[in-house]
Amino acid sequence: MQLPEAFITRMQNQLGDEADLFFNALENKPSTSIRLHHKKRKSSFIHSGKVPWCDDGYYLEERPSFYMDPLWHAGAYYVQEASSMILDHILSQLPFKEASQIWIDACAAPGGKSGILAKHLRPNDVLVANEVVGSRRSILWENLTKAGYTNTFIAGEPVTSFQEEFADLILVDAPCAGEGMMRKESEAINQWNQSLVESCSTLQKQIVQGAAKALNPDGYLIYSTCSYSVEENINNVNYFIDQYELESVAISFPSEWGISHIENGDANGYQLYPHRLQGEGLFISVLKNNSAASSTYRKAKKPFRIFESIPTWLKSHVLNPDELSVRKNSVQNELVNNLATEKANEVLMHFPKAMAVVGAGELKGRNFVPGHALATSGMSGAQYESIAVDLSTALDYLERSTSTLPRVDQNGWYLVRFEGIPLGWAKWTGQGWKNHYPMSWRLRDRHK
């Protein structure tokens, strides 16, 4: 691995006697890890070890072809770098209030950390997975829909539109110079230079400037990068403390995890190095808003499409309809838990274009077409029967083939399941099957 000379010199100064261990680690093969969905909790692989800071995280012996595993397509697990899962431990350490909350993942794509946030949501909380870049937001939508996360919205707002306090937790997993990914991605080496580090530091400040405006008093801002530079990490944290009346929050980690505590002035940060643990490079810090509530707080005009009680015609299509609310006049009949209705409507006052991940489905004339997330979320009504398929048939289904699906006696919609986990919908018409797996997500090049 040919690292930039300036990077080598900086890391030698930064790590001292540990520098050789660090550079040797970068020559080793990176580990492969997955995080099981907190409700589905299933994968097709033998695990080689546990990710110590995430109770759903596991290492694999080798990197398999995830694309050929139906459980991956079903959102039963997410392929995620182990160091990124440290967020799971941090969230378990924070003392959240009992009142309903709004959480924001400000730079959410491709959705791995959004999934960890969704795991920690209570039935009365909501999450906004925000991604301003359209192409990346499409990937985010696919990943969160396959997972079927409830009480979760997807938005595409620039941080400059964050003008008022309304969020109780904001995660800023900031765009960075990518130093922590040099072992896994050669492009991280090719693109690196000191100017990139400095420009990323500036961009990170701009993102947090917007995020800080949206943070409620006593709310938490979690800041992370996959870099090692002080400019992007601990120096930025000090800047945020000075500028926005934030307090650095100390997090405890068992010493055997090998996580480095970095202090600079009033700032606490935590660095994950590949020579100290089984994972890539990552920096993370937690800040708390100690400012007083803004006297200029103004909510936007009440949105037209708010959440309200489930209408009678929809009740048979969803599980436990009396516990759910539906978004008025939404084509896909977006759903949230009743306990989260107030916060869901508040989200729409600030982000009126946000869409809930779980949609019950679309009413076309007199015919109801169930949504993909209704299947993956486990919220489909009792009227929908399932058909169990083996691996070969599951892969055929994911290609949008119907030739190997078994015959059934009754016309209607069926959940296609592999090892008990829903893959999506198919409809039996008497003349044969119609495959309703989303066309844009279908399995391609299976036999190459």
Side-chain angles (χ1 to χ4, degrees), residues 338-365:
N338 273 344
L339 299 175
T341 299
E342 180 182 353
K343 289 301 181 182
N345 287 333
E346 188 174 342
V347 164
L348 298 178
M349 293 178 187
H350 298 277
F351 298 159
K353 295 181 180 180
M355 294 183 64
V357 167
V358 178
E362 184 176 358
L363 190 62
K364 293 185 175 181

Side-chain angles (χ1 to χ4, degrees), residues 55-67:
D55 56 10
D56 295 318
Y58 295 89
Y59 296 104
L60 305 183
E61 287 284 358
E62 300 288 340
R63 188 175 184 88
S65 177
F66 295 111
Y67 189 61

Side-chain angles (χ1 to χ4, degrees), residues 174-203:
C176 65
E179 297 170 354
M181 302 305 292
M182 285 181 171
R183 181 164 61 170
K184 297 186 71 172
E185 300 175 7
S186 58
E187 182 59 28
I189 298 174
N190 298 334
Q191 72 179 1
W192 187 91
N193 57 62
Q194 186 58 32
S195 294
L196 176 63
V197 171
E198 293 167 0
S199 64
C200 285
S201 178
T202 299
L203 175 60

Side-chain angles (χ1 to χ4, degrees), residues 39 100 122-126 150-153 307-308 310 319-326 334-345 356 358 379:
K39 292 183 178 179
S100 300
R122 302 163 302 181
N124 57 330
D125 299 328
V126 295
T150 56
N151 287 7
T152 299
F153 291 82
F307 285 89
E308 56 187 14
I310 295 277
L319 187 67
N320 301 322
D322 293 336
E323 298 177 6
L324 301 172
S325 295
V326 64
E334 300 161 43
L335 300 172
V336 298
N337 191 293
N338 273 344
L339 299 175
T341 299
E342 180 182 353
K343 289 301 181 182
N345 287 333
V358 178
M379 295 172 67

Side-chain angles (χ1 to χ4, degrees), residues 68 444-448:
M68 295 298 292
R444 298 177 177 88
D445 303 323
R446 170 184 171 188
H447 299 290
K448 282 190 177 181

Side-chain angles (χ1 to χ4, degrees), residues 96 98 100 113 141 146 194 197 201 220-221 231 247 252 272 294 305 320 340 348 356 375 397 437 440:
F96 295 109
E98 292 184 5
S100 300
K113 291 186 177 69
W141 182 266
K146 287 178 176 179
Q194 186 58 32
V197 171
S201 178
Y220 292 99
L221 189 149
E231 294 94 333
E247 174 191 3
S252 62
L272 285 71
S294 171
R305 299 190 300 161
N320 301 322
L348 298 178
Y397 170 78
Y437 190 78
S440 60

